[in-house]
Amino acid sequence: MTTALNPADAAFARDPYPFYAGLRAQGPAARVALSNGTSAWLVTGYRQARSVLADPRFSNVPAPRADRVGPAAGARSVLERHMLNTDGAEHRRLRRLASVAFTPRRVDELGGRIARLTDEVLGGLAERLDREGTADLVDDFAFPLPVLVIGEILGVPEEDRAELRAWTYRVGSPAGALAPGEIDAAWQSLHRYFTGLITAKRAQPGQDLFSLLAADEDAEALDDTELLAMAFLLLFAGYETTMNLLASASLLLLGHPGELTAARRDGEPRWGAVVEETLRHASPLEGTTWRRTREEVDLGSGTVVPADSSVLVVLAAANRDPEVFPDPDAFRPGRFAAGDGRALPHVAFGHGPHVCLGARLARLEAVIALPRLFDALPALSLAADPAALPYRPGLLVRGPRSLPVRRAG
């Protein structure tokens, strides 16, 4: 059985969970026909997701693509050569080089800076509310904060960050969501930008990660192509996940005032539970990067995935598997209230060798920023119908594209 799927469909983007539940009912993985004319297998069960993500029979190295033609083909082929698209020793080398900026000690040391940046962002949000009566929690809070944080880690000038957001949004859009020319132009713009940034870092290095990577002369250091790809990946991954986490958590709390009251009353442990439940309930990474089977794989229950098949592990679906999470469609932070968020069973950040390098940073930003948001602006209310909010299309990242709010009363 093959099920049709258009990832660019607005209704699917807004609420993909009924579709994923239907696929899950078919078995551990289901075959879909995508609107771009290709077919793939989507893994929607929790246990199967963890198994696939740790199974070396599923390769992260993309197959050659015949459709990589046109003016952006060269730029795209370079920027997509990042560590998420590698396996084995090559992946371990690239991950080791990037991990110097994301050690627990380095991340935890950012706590004070994140708090100060949050207060700066919230000051601007409050000014917009005072001036215009409404604001957008995506554009005025969830986007600027993680971009400021990852921009400082990587060394991206603040004045460039809004344009970079626009480019990364376009390259992450599924087929049919934008005109092909827009996507091609974005790939080319990103390639030019990072080429110039790396040149500038080599000429005037600082203490940021790009400077360190560009100046590294170790035998395993990045070559120029790998450096460009690493720059793209760390920027894209460094703010997309946290932006969607902050936006989705804000939306859920505004729609569940009792949970917001409990979090403000109970403090940090409850805020940690809110973050974990948001990661499960509204996974900011909808799916992993694409994998390809090296050989035929039996996933059980009569589901056999042929060799050389495209496979996507749908994290958002796995995190709502009713066999693991009772009442999976309900937002209930209490289910995580007893834990500290580091050993909980959701797979919002993936699993196995490619588990998200920035997971600790995303959690830290959220557990600092969310209480500050609702302490500074306790009377916020939605200024739009939540059922009509636009969502980012596609199968990679998920979150509201806008979140209008006003002061209640």
Side-chain angles (χ1 to χ4, degrees):
M1 177 179 179
T2 301
T3 305
L5 171 60
N6 178 9
D9 180 70
F12 170 78
R14 191 175 296 115
D15 184 13
Y17 300 105
F19 179 85
Y20 291 144
L23 291 186
R24 195 185 301 112
Q26 297 180 28
R31 194 167 183 265
V32 298
L34 298 171
S35 53
N36 64 359
T38 64
S39 64
W41 291 79
L42 301 193
V43 179
T44 54
Y46 173 85
R47 291 181 177 85
Q48 293 78 20
R50 285 177 61 92
S51 175
V52 168
L53 292 173
D55 190 334
R57 293 177 296 176
F58 294 84
S59 173
N60 277 54
V61 178
R65 293 283 299 270
D67 62 346
R68 292 290 187 264
V69 295
R76 183 166 187 171
S77 66
V78 169
L79 295 178
E80 288 186 330
R81 284 183 57 187
H82 51 69
M83 63 183 174
L84 294 187
N85 289 336
T86 60
D87 293 327
E90 184 180 5
H91 169 257
R92 289 191 292 273
R93 176 179 69 89
L94 295 174
R95 188 178 176 98
R96 178 185 64 78
L97 291 168
S99 66
V100 296
F102 299 97
T103 64
R105 179 182 63 80
R106 283 180 179 266
V107 170
D108 292 346
E109 287 175 350
L110 292 170
R113 183 61 178 146
I114 292 170
R116 291 190 292 274
L117 289 172
T118 301
D119 292 341
E120 291 176 17
V121 169
L122 291 177
L125 173 61
E127 288 177 8
R128 184 177 293 275
L129 285 167
D130 291 339
R131 184 174 65 252
E132 301 179 14
T134 61
D136 190 319
L137 283 187
V138 175
D139 288 341
D140 299 321
F141 170 64
F143 164 67
L145 177 59
V147 166
L148 286 170
V149 173
I150 198 65
E152 290 202 0
I153 292 173
L154 301 180
V156 174
E158 186 172 351
E159 62 270 19
D160 297 341
R161 295 169 192 173
E163 195 167 37
L164 285 167
R165 178 200 183 190
W167 293 332
T168 55
Y169 172 83
R170 290 169 193 152
V171 301
S173 298
L178 297 171
E182 289 185 79
I183 298 174
D184 284 349
W187 280 111
Q188 291 173 296
S189 295
L190 283 166
H191 186 275
R192 282 194 300 269
Y193 178 81
F194 287 127
T195 299
L197 181 65
I198 290 166
T199 299
K201 295 296 181 183
R202 283 178 170 153
Q204 290 186 304
Q207 295 303 308
D208 55 86
L209 181 58
F210 281 173
S211 293
L212 294 175
L213 292 175
D216 193 350
E217 296 182 355
D218 183 88
E220 292 192 332
L222 303 175
D223 62 31
D224 285 355
T225 296
E226 292 171 333
L227 193 54
L228 284 167
M230 184 73 79
F232 167 69
L233 173 65
L234 292 178
L235 178 75
F236 183 83
Y239 82 82
E240 277 280 358
T241 302
T242 308
M243 177 180 72
N244 292 326
L245 171 58
L246 292 173
S248 294
S250 300
L251 175 60
L252 286 165
L253 289 169
L254 290 171
H256 296 78
E259 296 292 353
L260 176 56
T261 298
R264 298 190 66 201
R265 179 191 66 227
D266 297 343
E268 185 173 342
R270 190 73 179 194
W271 282 111
V274 166
V275 170
E276 297 307 317
E277 177 66 343
T278 301
L279 288 165
R280 183 203 68 81
H281 183 274
S283 302
L285 291 174
E286 188 160 350
T288 61
T289 51
W290 289 95
R291 283 160 168 76
R292 181 159 291 273
T293 48
R294 300 179 186 272
E295 60 188 71
E296 182 179 274
V297 180
D298 187 345
L299 291 179
S301 302
T303 301
V304 177
V305 182
D308 202 33
S309 294
S310 294
V311 177
L312 181 73
V313 177
V314 187
L315 304 175
N319 282 333
R320 291 204 186 190
D321 187 337
E323 291 189 3
V324 179
F325 304 102
D327 196 12
D329 296 327
F331 177 66
R332 292 205 335 249
R335 74 175 86 223
F336 289 134
D340 66 0
R342 287 175 294 191
L344 295 170
H346 68 66
V347 288
F349 291 114
H351 176 66
H354 289 271
V355 67
C356 179
L357 193 61
R360 189 182 188 94
L361 177 61
R363 283 183 164 114
L364 181 65
E365 289 183 57
V367 85
I368 289 173
L370 289 169
R372 279 179 140 74
L373 168 67
F374 289 103
D375 284 346
L377 300 165
L380 280 183
S381 66
L382 286 174
D385 177 2
L389 291 172
Y391 272 73
R392 175 80 173 270
L395 297 171
L396 178 58
V397 295
R398 184 170 189 276
R401 289 175 57 184
S402 66
L403 190 52
V405 292
R406 62 168 64 95
R407 295 183 194 270

